[in-house]
Amino acid sequence: MSNNPDPNPDPSQVPDDLLSSEEQQQRDGQIEETVDAAPASLGSPSRVLSIDTRVEQAWAHWKKLGRPKYIVAPMVDNSELPFRLLCQKYGAQAAYTPMLHSRIFSETEKYRNQEFTTCKEDRPLFVQFCANDPDTLLEAAKRVQNFCDYVDINLGCPQRIARRGNYGAFLMDNLPLVKALVEKLVQNLTTPVSCKIRIFPKLQDTLNYAKMLEDAGCSLLAVHGRTRDEKDGKKFRADWSAIKEVKNALRIPVLANGNVRCIEDVDDCIEATGVEGVLSAETLLENPAVFAGFRTAEWAKGSGEEEGYVDGGLDQGDLVVEYLKLCEEHPVPWRMIRSHVHKMLGDWFRIHPQVRERFNAQNILTFEFLYGLVDELKELGGRVPLYKKRKLDTLNVKEESPKRV
């Protein structure tokens, strides 16, 4: 199976409030043909398999993928193909697509062509959908199952668009519907089904919820350790203890999301919770090299061991250039590119606000303009490096240049 690109996609007619809070920019991009085969079938539908067999198959599939620990979380408009590939270059071992709206994906070819692109290097891959109708979700899932390793159901989005659309974390108020969504996919797809959730205020409610998903046939569960009302990640710490309880209660692989600012946080989270891997979202947007051990100045100098970090020989300007080259190779809508450039150059823009103002005023972006923007920042000076931990050997302390992945 392959996806046929629309060679001249027009701006999508999709209602903006269902897709993103970003202003809609000129849209570009195409669906990319992949040569990867579909994952091996998990056999008969879940309805005729015992729980023991389903658990065994869930682990077999996860192990076949290499048990990835460092994972790019799903982000609306921000975990698209070029960004996934950039994160992969710097240590990410698996990634989610942005959240895709199942109804619009099923109905609108232009939306499919613009919002979902992949390539043979883009694996392991979770394709995430929001949905509130099992049949519609299945129709969308069938279109992507040969191009990914999991079809994921978004049960964790806490934003107002999810409330208006009745999906994401707001389905926590209708657990029978959640169960129906999972069962519909499990019984009709050959690709495993995963889910991403938030926790309930009460631990037992969370455990009951997670167990219901496992019983329905979910093969992997990602748990964001915040409640639906705890939207601000800087204000509310994720509850790793709740994630640990979910991990202990389930038999399928479990992933954690929340409180990841650096690679050491990933290791600490795995040790504290026992999960298989950890998702990162906001931190990666500013620093896509997190999983390669790089830190921004904020997290290097605020770590309490500032002397232990050295200039890693890489900065966000370098990462922007690498990202733009990937975008030229794998086109995506300009609104996504604008968002990434803004986040990755945020520290530089604070030093040179006049450059930020010119960037914000540029209504129509071009690669020439964006490359020139990075060149201008470098010429103005005030380099903002990323930092790496100082390496120690048995004889002395020495600073090592980073190995480019």
Side-chain angles (χ1 to χ4, degrees):
M1 174 180 176
S2 64
N3 289 325
N4 296 319
D6 179 347
N8 297 295
D10 296 324
S12 173
Q13 301 304 310
V14 174
D16 293 345
D17 66 341
L18 291 176
L19 302 179
S20 169
S21 59
E22 297 284 336
E23 278 192 24
Q24 297 295 301
Q25 304 295 330
Q26 176 183 346
R27 295 194 173 198
D28 192 10
Q30 62 183 13
I31 194 77
E32 301 204 11
E33 186 170 14
T34 180
V35 298
D36 269 19
S41 170
L42 291 189
S44 303
S46 170
R47 62 180 177 270
V48 298
L49 297 179
S50 69
I51 180 65
D52 290 341
T53 300
R54 286 193 282 108
V55 168
E56 180 180 347
Q57 291 183 340
W59 279 104
H61 183 69
W62 184 245
K63 291 173 182 177
K64 182 179 178 181
L65 298 178
R67 302 178 75 155
K69 292 198 305 182
Y70 307 141
I71 302 166
V72 180
M75 295 171 275
V76 173
D77 280 354
N78 281 152
S79 55
E80 80 293 348
L81 176 60
F83 188 72
R84 296 196 300 268
L85 294 177
L86 179 64
C87 293
Q88 183 186 90
K89 178 179 180 180
Y90 289 97
Q93 298 168 336
Y96 287 72
T97 66
M99 181 191 74
L100 302 171
H101 193 287
S102 59
R103 178 183 59 78
I104 302 170
F105 194 88
S106 300
E107 296 175 351
T108 310
E109 183 178 5
K110 290 185 178 69
Y111 177 71
R112 293 194 295 271
N113 289 346
Q114 293 172 354
E115 305 300 322
F116 173 61
T117 57
T118 188
C119 63
K120 64 180 181 180
E121 296 83 14
D122 186 29
R123 308 296 281 267
L125 179 64
F126 296 70
V127 176
Q128 186 183 78
F129 289 104
C130 67
N132 55 29
D133 178 81
D135 292 329
T136 301
L137 175 59
L138 177 60
E139 183 178 350
K142 283 183 173 180
R143 293 180 180 271
V144 303
Q145 68 170 333
N146 288 350
F147 301 92
C148 64
D149 301 285
Y150 290 93
V151 173
D152 187 79
I153 305 175
N154 182 329
L155 301 172
C157 180
Q159 303 303 324
R160 282 178 296 176
I161 56 171
R163 181 191 293 274
R164 288 199 300 267
N166 187 34
Y167 58 78
F170 296 94
L171 294 183
M172 296 167 77
D173 297 330
N174 189 348
L175 297 188
L177 175 57
V178 171
K179 183 178 181 182
L181 291 169
V182 176
E183 289 181 335
K184 188 71 172 185
L185 293 192
V186 170
Q187 293 171 7
N188 291 279
L189 298 181
T190 56
T191 301
V193 176
S194 62
C195 299
K196 186 171 185 291
I197 67 170
R198 285 189 170 233
I199 61 175
F200 282 92
K202 294 182 179 179
L203 176 60
Q204 190 58 53
D205 290 339
T206 301
L207 297 180
N208 293 342
Y209 184 30
K211 193 67 174 67
M212 180 199 75
L213 294 171
E214 181 179 66
D215 291 342
C218 176
S219 292
L220 179 145
L221 185 66
V223 184
H224 189 142
R226 297 183 177 92
T227 68
R228 187 172 66 190
D229 295 328
E230 294 173 338
K231 300 181 182 68
D232 188 342
K234 293 183 179 180
K235 181 179 180 181
F236 299 102
R237 295 283 293 169
D239 186 349
W240 285 358
S241 64
I243 298 175
K244 179 181 180 179
E245 293 297 328
V246 172
K247 167 62 182 175
N248 291 339
L250 298 190
R251 299 170 62 186
I252 59 174
V254 174
L255 307 177
N257 188 194
N259 300 350
V260 173
R261 303 154 301 177
C262 59
I263 193 66
E264 289 78 12
D265 286 341
V266 175
D267 297 333
D268 290 345
C269 181
I270 291 174
E271 182 178 358
T273 63
V275 296
E276 285 292 304
V278 174
L279 282 60
S280 179
E282 292 295 328
T283 299
L284 282 174
L285 293 179
E286 183 179 6
N287 172 18
V290 165
F291 290 136
F294 289 92
R295 291 190 182 203
T296 61
E298 177 185 4
W299 295 114
K301 297 180 179 181
S303 65
E305 46 178 327
E306 181 177 345
E307 69 283 355
Y309 290 87
V310 297
D311 186 334
L314 180 70
D315 62 43
Q316 281 113 321
D318 300 326
L319 292 172
V320 167
V321 170
E322 292 187 48
Y323 170 70
L324 293 176
K325 289 179 179 178
L326 288 166
C327 290
E328 289 188 276
E329 184 178 355
H330 307 285
V332 293
W334 281 106
R335 73 181 191 279
M336 298 181 182
I337 299 174
R338 179 183 290 274
S339 176
H340 282 298
V341 170
H342 180 79
K343 288 181 170 66
M344 280 191 269
L345 293 181
D347 288 339
W348 290 57
F349 285 155
R350 281 186 278 275
I351 298 173
H352 304 292
Q354 75 279 9
V355 181
R356 178 184 59 210
E357 291 170 7
R358 193 158 65 83
F359 171 58
N360 291 340
Q362 187 75 13
N363 291 326
I364 299 177
L365 296 180
T366 65
F367 288 110
E368 181 181 10
F369 172 81
L370 293 173
Y371 285 126
L373 199 75
V374 176
D375 290 341
E376 180 181 357
L377 288 169
K378 289 180 178 290
E379 290 170 3
L380 287 171
R383 179 174 174 271
V384 183
L386 294 170
Y387 293 84
K388 290 202 82 173
K389 208 164 213 179
R390 188 189 301 268
K391 301 293 183 180
L392 301 175
D393 62 21
T394 55
L395 298 177
N396 57 12
V397 177
K398 63 180 181 180
E399 298 178 5
E400 294 186 352
S401 298
K403 294 181 180 180
R404 300 298 290 271
V405 179

